[in-house]
Amino acid sequence: MRALQDMNNVDKAYLLARLFPDEREALTGVALQQVELFIQQEQAVRDTWKDTLITAEFWYDLVRSTQRIIRNQGTGLYRSARVFSDQLFDGYNAIFMIYCLIGYTQGEVCPYKLKQAIHLLFGEYQLFTIAI
C-alpha cells in the first residue's frame, strides 16, 4: 500500500470501500440523495450561487455525471470496491463525491469509525458551502 500522501482520490476511495464494504451501499445512497436534492433545488441553488472558482454550471455537470454513473452502474457500485472508487471518484467527479462524504459525516447516522476514516482520507471540512 502507498503512503497516504501519495494516494489520489481513486486510491483513497478504494481504501475506504475496502475497509467498510458494508457501507458502500449507504455511501452510494448518500450520493444519490444529494443528486436528487440538488436537482430538485436547481433553480434556487443557481440563483444564490456566488461567483467562485467552481461555477454553478460546473457543479451541475458533476451532479448529472454522478447521477448517470449511479444509474448506469447500479448495484455494481456497492458490490465492488473497485467499481465504486473508479466510477465515482475519478477526475473532477471526486469533488462532488467528497462533498457528499464530508456532508454525511456531519449527520447523526454516519458510523463513528467511518466518519474518522473519511476525515483522515478526504478531510473534515467542506471546500465550500452551498445553500439549499
Side-chain angles (χ1 to χ4, degrees):
M1 180 186 330
R2 289 190 281 173
L4 186 59
Q5 70 229 24
D6 296 334
M7 294 176 130
N8 62 31
N9 289 321
V10 172
D11 297 333
K12 292 175 185 179
Y14 181 70
L15 177 59
L16 183 70
R18 297 270 303 165
L19 290 172
F20 298 93
D22 295 339
E23 296 296 331
R24 287 193 297 250
E25 186 172 3
L27 294 175
T28 302
V30 165
L32 184 57
Q33 287 174 342
Q34 286 296 307
V35 162
E36 291 169 353
L37 182 62
F38 275 108
I39 288 174
Q40 289 171 359
Q41 300 293 322
E42 183 169 359
Q43 193 56 52
V45 170
R46 286 181 181 275
D47 290 345
T48 60
W49 195 273
K50 294 184 178 16
D51 290 332
T52 62
L53 184 60
I54 296 177
T55 65
E57 193 62 37
F58 177 71
W59 183 255
Y60 274 94
D61 286 345
L62 298 177
V63 169
R64 287 191 174 73
S65 172
T66 302
Q67 182 183 42
R68 273 190 308 278
I69 291 166
I70 292 171
R71 186 180 325 119
N72 293 339
Q73 297 299 321
T75 59
L77 290 169
Y78 48 87
R79 288 188 178 158
S80 167
R82 183 55 65 196
V83 173
F84 176 84
S85 59
D86 285 349
Q87 294 296 312
L88 292 174
F89 289 84
D90 188 41
Y92 291 120
N93 214 61
I95 296 169
F96 180 74
M97 286 305 300
I98 293 168
Y99 176 88
C100 293
L101 291 180
I102 293 174
Y104 182 54
T105 67
Q106 296 167 349
E108 298 290 323
V109 297
C110 183
Y112 178 76
K113 288 183 179 182
L114 178 60
K115 179 188 291 193
Q116 295 302 309
I118 291 169
H119 287 172
L120 172 70
L121 295 169
F122 297 106
E124 190 173 346
Y125 302 104
Q126 295 287 17
L127 294 175
F128 55 95
T129 304
I130 301 171
I132 299 181

